[in-house]
Amino acid sequence: MMDNRPIGFLDSGVGGLTVARELMRQLPHEEIVYIGDSARAPYGPRPAEQIREYTWQLVHFLLTKDVKMIVFACNTATAVAWEEVKEALDIPVLGVILPGASAAIKATKSGKVGVLGTSMTIQSDIYRQKIQALSPETDVSSLACPKFAPLVESNSYQSSLAKKVVYETLGGLKGKVDTLVLGCTHYPLLRPIIQNVMGQEVKLIDSGAECARDISVLLNYFEINRSRTAEKTGHKFYTTASPAAFRDIAESWLDRTIDVERVTL
Ligand code: DGL
């Protein structure tokens, strides 16, 4: 069996592009419909009830695009609403947290894992819970990095301000963990700076890349891969803010030209 419909991706903004990029690399035949809510990003500092409401709006938008699967390419939305959306829909819904948690357990040698995330993700304590449910001995140090996602949304993730902010935020974690989960899909854009501050010996876990591997497993399991001979319609990107600003970040990160349209939810 095959299913040629696209895979839906949602995020508060451009962060989910880190997951989309991995999917394009790992499964080049699949097509993506992406919605980023940049007009209301960051989600991290918002109350859970509001994140839940916004996430449902993104889900309903993707359902109008006839997607065969939805990927929560946002840790914050996963922490707040993934369980209930997954229960409510009859298509597979994948989050980024479980794949990241398992990868961290696999990678750590010292048993000391750090987790970076938005205020909501860290406050939810979900990474610690998922990691320790699988591996109770693993020590988890969690750190909220509320300044990181805005640096990425404003396309200043390579700036000297970004270096300063990352250095000041992560200074205290250096030397304490051998594995660090980038528990927000915006953070892989800051990866070179984070790696530099933490030291080359620290293993960084990109929850998005881990998630792309799980998408592949689910497509196989449900036998809903896209046929290699299906006609290409192209990936489609939607943003709630400026398409030009979205395109700037997306085209450089994905290294291709893309089709972006503005939507109101
Ligand atoms: N990209 C998101 C995440 O993975 C959220 C960033 C934000 O909007 O605060 O958590």
Side-chain angles (χ1 to χ4, degrees), residues 178-194:
D178 74 344
T179 302
L180 185 62
V181 180
L182 305 180
C184 169
T185 53
H186 282 72
Y187 300 174
L189 286 103
L190 293 162
R191 184 180 187 127
I193 306 180
I194 296 174

Side-chain angles (χ1 to χ4, degrees), residues 11-13 15-16 41-45 73-77 96 118 121 149-150 183-186:
D11 182 46
S12 62
Y43 278 13
C74 176
N75 289 263
T76 310
V96 266
T118 66
T121 301
C184 169
T185 53
H186 282 72

Side-chain angles (χ1 to χ4, degrees), residues 79-91:
V80 173
W82 175 63
E83 299 270 357
E84 73 173 81
V85 173
K86 181 169 63 98
E87 291 304 314
L89 302 193
D90 54 9
I91 53 171

